[in-house]
């Protein structure tokens, strides 16, 4: 629910000769989150009706997370959902959501999630941290410092963003021509390094 509602992408489908084709309108990473959620039975159209978005704080390089605020259809309370840098999300959450309820998110448990994030990143996966907080008042939705300090950590989501076809060949030709190739990315350093090695942008031994 958090990854669907804290999300600006749209997943469209159309039938062609009895085959359903899906397209993403918006950011591909957010589209992947919608696809994952839909496979688990969570439709963005249905959730947006049940949880109206009333406010948003966009992602920026300082906060390193996107935050959206929603009002439940059958409640007076507001709900916050956030996604972004795993390190930042883990660092700024006080509680961990479990099947038995929210528990204190102690340093040892945080470190185990940070290690898993690093493991995913070294494998070349793009990783996001997901968090939220329920039962906010209307005044709370405009107090970002309060929301940051009282977040509940939901978990990590990891995905593989494969390079487009022909990229490796194009990089090889650049090397042959003596052109230095540089990669600009918003991914974590470990993720970027793994992808750079796979594409031979850097030496595999580096």
């Amino acid at each position: 629910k958090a990854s669907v509602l804290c999300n600006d992408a749209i997943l469209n489908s159309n039938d062609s000769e009895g085959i359903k084709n899906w397209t993403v309108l918006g950011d591909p990473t957010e589209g992947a989150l919608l696809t994952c959620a839909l496979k688990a039975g969570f439709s963005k159209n249905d959730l947006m009706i049940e949880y109206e978005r009333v406010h948003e704080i966009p992602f920026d390089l300082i906060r390193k997370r996107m935050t959206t605020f929603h009002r439940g259809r059958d409640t007076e309370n507001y709900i916050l959902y956030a996604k972004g840098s795993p390190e930042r999300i883990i660092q700024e959450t006080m509680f961990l959501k479990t099947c038995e309820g929210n528990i204190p998110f102690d340093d040892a448990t945080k470190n185990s999630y940070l290690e898993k994030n690093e493991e995913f990143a070294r494998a070349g996966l793009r990783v996001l941290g997901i968090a939220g907080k329920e039962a906010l008042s209307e005044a709370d939705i405009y107090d970002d410092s309060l929301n940051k300090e009282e977040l509940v950590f939901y978990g990590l989501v990891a995905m593989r963003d494969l390079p487009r076809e022909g990229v490796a060949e194009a990089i090889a030709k650049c090397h042959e021509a003596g052109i230095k190739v540089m990669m600009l990315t918003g991914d974590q350093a470990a993720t970027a390094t793994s992808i750079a090695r796979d594409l031979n942008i850097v030496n595999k031994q580096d």
Side-chain angles (χ1 to χ4, degrees):
K1 286 169 59 177
S3 65
V4 170
L5 290 169
C6 187
N7 194 314
D8 288 330
I10 299 173
L11 199 59
N12 291 323
S13 67
N14 59 77
D15 293 329
S16 177
E17 299 180 354
I19 300 175
K20 182 169 286 190
N21 298 307
W22 295 90
T23 56
V24 173
L25 179 62
D27 180 76
T29 296
E30 292 194 327
L33 293 175
L34 295 183
T35 301
C36 181
L38 188 60
K39 290 180 178 180
F42 291 89
S43 162
K44 182 171 185 178
N45 289 339
D46 294 340
L47 287 175
M48 290 295 285
I49 293 173
E50 187 174 356
Y51 299 97
E52 175 192 5
R53 184 187 293 190
V54 295
H55 184 54
E56 172 186 344
I57 304 176
F59 178 91
D60 63 52
L61 294 177
I62 297 176
R63 297 174 66 253
K64 293 188 176 180
R65 59 189 172 98
M66 170 185 179
T67 308
T68 57
F69 301 83
H70 307 263
R71 180 170 52 203
R73 184 171 54 182
D74 301 321
T75 177
E76 295 294 325
N77 291 329
Y78 293 83
I79 302 171
L80 171 162
Y81 290 122
K83 73 176 190 301
S85 160
E87 296 98 332
R88 184 62 64 85
I89 292 286
I90 290 171
Q91 175 188 356
E92 295 180 350
T93 45
M94 296 177 61
F95 302 97
L96 174 67
K97 191 173 186 66
T98 73
C99 294
E100 289 74 32
N102 298 336
I103 62 174
F105 200 10
D106 59 53
D107 290 341
T109 309
K110 286 187 176 185
N111 286 335
S112 69
Y113 277 97
L114 289 171
E115 290 172 3
K116 179 58 68 173
N117 166 59
E118 185 68 18
E119 177 185 328
F120 285 147
R122 285 197 303 268
L125 300 179
R126 176 171 295 164
V127 191
L128 293 173
I130 309 292
K133 178 171 173 53
E134 301 181 2
L136 293 165
S137 70
E138 185 173 4
D140 288 340
I141 67 177
Y142 300 104
D143 187 347
D144 192 39
S145 61
L146 169 68
N147 297 325
K148 177 178 67 176
E149 294 169 357
E150 298 186 358
L151 285 174
V152 178
F153 182 70
Y154 292 165
L156 300 172
V157 57
M159 65 196 79
R160 186 173 301 281
D161 185 11
L162 296 174
R164 293 183 181 180
E165 185 177 350
V167 169
E169 291 79 5
I171 290 172
K173 290 181 179 179
C174 287
H175 288 320
E176 291 173 3
I179 300 172
K180 182 178 180 180
V181 179
M182 301 181 69
M183 180 173 68
L184 301 179
T185 176
D187 286 332
Q188 301 180 77
T191 302
T193 301
S194 176
I195 294 171
R197 287 172 178 162
D198 289 343
L199 292 173
N200 289 317
I201 295 176
V202 298
N203 190 295
K204 291 184 180 293
Q205 303 303 316
D206 292 343

